[in-house]
Structure formats: C-alpha cells, structure tokens
Amino acid sequence: MRTAPTSLDQVLYPPIEPNRTGRLAVDDLHTLHWESCGNPAGIPVIFIHGGPGAGTSPKSRRFFDPAKYHIVLLDQRGAGLSTPLGECGENTTPLLIADLERLRELLGIERWLVFGGSWGSTLSLAYAQAHPERCLGLVLRGIWLVSDEEIDWWLYGMRQFFPKEWEAFAQQVPEDERGDLLAAYHRRLANDDPAVHTPAARAWSRYEGSCLQLIPDPVTVDSFGEDAIALGVGRLEAHYFHHRAFLQPGQLLAGVPKIAHLPCVIVHGRYDVICPVRYAFGLADAWPSAKLVVVPDAGHSSYEPGIAAELVKATDAFTLEDGGGFVA
C-alpha cells in the first residue's frame, strides 16, 4: 500500500536500464533521442516530458512497472539528448505531434498509453486530440492549457509566492523592458549569439526551477541553471509562450469531445504555483469521465512524493482488460 510517502524511493519503481536507444532524424535540422525499456510485449506507454525543453531523465522510466509496460521515452526537438539543444527553428506543436507518430510507427506500436506532465500535459492533449485512435488512455499531471492568463501568471503572478526569485528573473533585463518580460526575454533567447541567449536562458530556467516544489530544493534550483537544462528550457519555453504553443485559443478544452471516450487520470498538486490547480479543475469539468486527483501537500514537480505516488498508482491501475481503463 503506497500511503503517506516521504521519499521517491518509497514510490517509484527501481532504476531500470533501457533495452534500446536510437537517433531519429526528423528533418535536416533536428535529430531526436529515444529509448525503450521494460517489457517489449507489455502495454506500450509514451512518456511526454515537460518544459518545453526539459527532456527526459533516468527517473522518467520509474513511473512504470517494467514487467507490465513497454516504456518509450523521447526527447523532443531541442531538448535533452536531441540535437541541436535549444533549437527553436522548425519547432512547433504540430511538428512534435508528427514526431510522436513517426516514433510510434518506427517501433511498430499500434496504440499506447499517453503519460505527460506540465507542458507534457499540453502536448499529450494535443496529440491525443489529433490521433485519438492511437491512444489507449491518458495520465496527465500539472495541467497547462496555454491561455493568456496562464502565461501572464507565470511571468508575473508567481512573484506573489516567490518574490525574490521573480526579482532575480525580472532584473535580468533593463527596467524599461520589464513591462513585457516575455518580449524582452524572447528577443534575447531568439538571438543566435550565445553571449546573449545563454545568460537569459539560465535566468529563465532558474526562475522556473525555483518555483517547482512546495519546499524548494537547492539542488533542483542549481540544476535548472546548468546549460544542459537551461538552454532547452529557457529558449523553448519562451518560444512556445511567444507563439501560444502554436494552438488556437481554447483549443485543448474545445477538443475534449474527441477524446472523452478515453480513460484518463489527472494528477495535480494543490499548491502548484507553476500551473495553478484551477486549470486542472477546468479540464476535469470539460471531461466528466476523467478522474482528477488533487495532492494536498504538493507543488508542481512530478518528483514530489505525493504526486509521484499518485502517478504510479494510476499506471499500476491501468489495464487493457474489459475494454481498458483504470481499475480501483
């Protein structure tokens, strides 16, 4: 029984090594890193990471029982081990959806469970609505629906909870540009000169890393300031914010009827400052058959024990029997 977890090792499955890894050239610019692990004959599941630009990690494999699941992980364009890191050219939501389909076909998978958090929830919803026939169900965490108010909250509202972290973020640009932080950062992050975009990426990414958890972890904050994460997170988040994730306003909620027949579990931290919980309730209201689990003592990160426990509980509960779904 997974109750009152206090550490990830109480919750996640033990570390597992990949069975296969590969490089998928999707165009003349981008080459994607992918891997698979677990049971090749098991239930296929695709792990869709957040950010955009955050990439996957070895811990990403551990939400799934390796005896039950054929686990597939993909670093999206510009993220993780995909190359070039932080590249915004030819990087749009429709192209990311096409990449997922290309990988699914490469691996010979007919349908898979879709698992995504934060930006990964956004892309999971967009992918499922584009290809509902390829989905077995969804496990979503930290819902982000790409509304203007969500973007404004990220840029300005989070200072209500993390004022000093916001000040460090805002002070990266001159005072006369702080009225439109997205435009100020986007100009710098879109600049090809590393002397311009790298410090901006570090400041952007560190701001996000500082606000992820109910109780901030200095190790996490410092890791988000490292170039291996910051260049992907900083450049791509500003790129996708600027372009409203290449989606129409309200598109993801309007598209719920396309996927309403699919089983879904939504997990969200009550004190998620990055993606406030009201948007998870909004998605659940639009999708009455989806199960919403609000974790009372958690923020945004999937690696907070309470959130991780609920995500593992959801993947443990998923079955293909009797038409598929999440069993109690």
Side-chain angles (χ1 to χ4, degrees):
M1 210 68 194
R2 300 177 188 273
T3 58
T6 58
S7 73
L8 281 175
D9 285 337
Q10 288 181 287
V11 174
L12 298 180
Y13 281 94
I16 178 175
E17 293 300 314
N19 300 327
R20 299 175 61 192
T21 63
R23 305 285 294 171
L24 177 61
V26 291
D27 58 23
D28 292 339
L29 180 58
H30 291 278
T31 299
L32 310 185
H33 170 83
W34 64 268
E35 63 177 57
S36 65
C37 57
N39 180 0
I43 299 171
V45 59
I46 176 68
F47 179 97
I48 300 183
H49 68 71
T56 61
S57 80
K59 284 193 295 187
S60 306
R61 310 166 190 150
R62 298 178 59 192
F63 293 101
F64 315 98
D65 180 348
K68 176 179 178 178
Y69 281 101
H70 177 195
I71 307 157
V72 181
L73 289 80
L74 174 70
D75 286 340
Q76 297 157 28
R77 296 182 183 217
L81 297 178
S82 294
T83 54
L85 178 64
E87 177 57 58
C88 298
E90 297 301 312
N91 202 326
T92 69
T93 301
L95 288 172
L96 299 186
I97 291 171
D99 294 343
L100 289 166
E101 275 297 277
R102 188 175 300 193
L103 179 60
R104 183 190 60 78
E105 293 171 356
L106 174 70
L107 297 179
I109 293 171
E110 182 178 355
R111 294 194 298 161
W112 49 14
L113 181 65
V114 179
F115 180 108
S118 193
W119 159 253
S121 76
T122 315
L123 183 55
S124 293
L125 287 166
Y127 170 79
Q129 290 172 14
H131 299 283
E133 75 285 357
R134 299 304 179 189
C135 301
L136 296 168
L138 295 93
V139 177
L140 305 175
R141 187 269 312 166
I143 301 304
W144 190 57
L145 300 174
V146 207
S147 64
D148 283 349
E149 64 182 6
E150 288 167 280
I151 294 173
D152 185 73
W153 170 263
W154 195 97
L155 291 163
Y156 295 99
M158 292 198 305
R159 64 180 159 177
Q160 302 296 333
F161 293 89
F162 292 95
K164 293 301 181 182
E165 292 79 2
W166 182 85
E167 287 176 12
F169 169 66
Q171 289 171 2
Q172 181 67 26
V173 302
E175 187 172 2
D176 62 355
E177 295 186 58
R178 294 175 197 165
D180 190 345
L181 284 171
L182 179 56
Y185 265 94
H186 184 256
R187 280 193 296 272
R188 289 162 175 80
L189 290 163
N191 193 299
D192 289 334
D193 185 352
V196 176
H197 69 239
T198 299
R202 290 171 181 158
W204 179 294
S205 184
R206 190 175 178 88
Y207 171 54
E208 172 149 318
S210 299
C211 304
L212 281 176
Q213 295 161 306
L214 182 61
I215 301 175
D217 175 16
V219 174
T220 299
V221 175
D222 288 344
S223 72
F224 269 71
E226 297 173 359
D227 289 353
I229 295 178
L231 290 177
V233 168
R235 298 193 84 190
L236 291 180
E237 285 190 0
H239 171 68
Y240 274 83
F241 280 24
H242 177 76
H243 291 284
R244 302 304 190 265
F246 303 90
L247 300 173
Q248 295 300 312
Q251 177 177 329
L252 297 179
L253 288 182
V256 166
K258 299 176 183 178
I259 55 175
H261 62 288
L262 294 172
C264 177
V265 171
I266 303 164
V267 177
H268 209 108
R270 169 65 67 186
Y271 300 106
D272 187 336
V273 173
I274 301 283
C275 298
V277 71
R278 63 173 291 202
Y279 302 102
F281 278 98
L283 178 61
D285 287 345
W287 195 347
S289 64
K291 178 184 178 182
L292 172 61
V293 180
V294 177
V295 181
D297 57 350
H300 181 70
S301 173
S302 61
Y303 299 117
E304 291 179 84
I307 291 181
E310 291 296 339
L311 292 172
V312 171
K313 182 179 178 181
T315 62
D316 281 352
F318 186 75
T319 178
L320 295 180
E321 296 178 4
D322 300 323
F326 298 93
V327 296

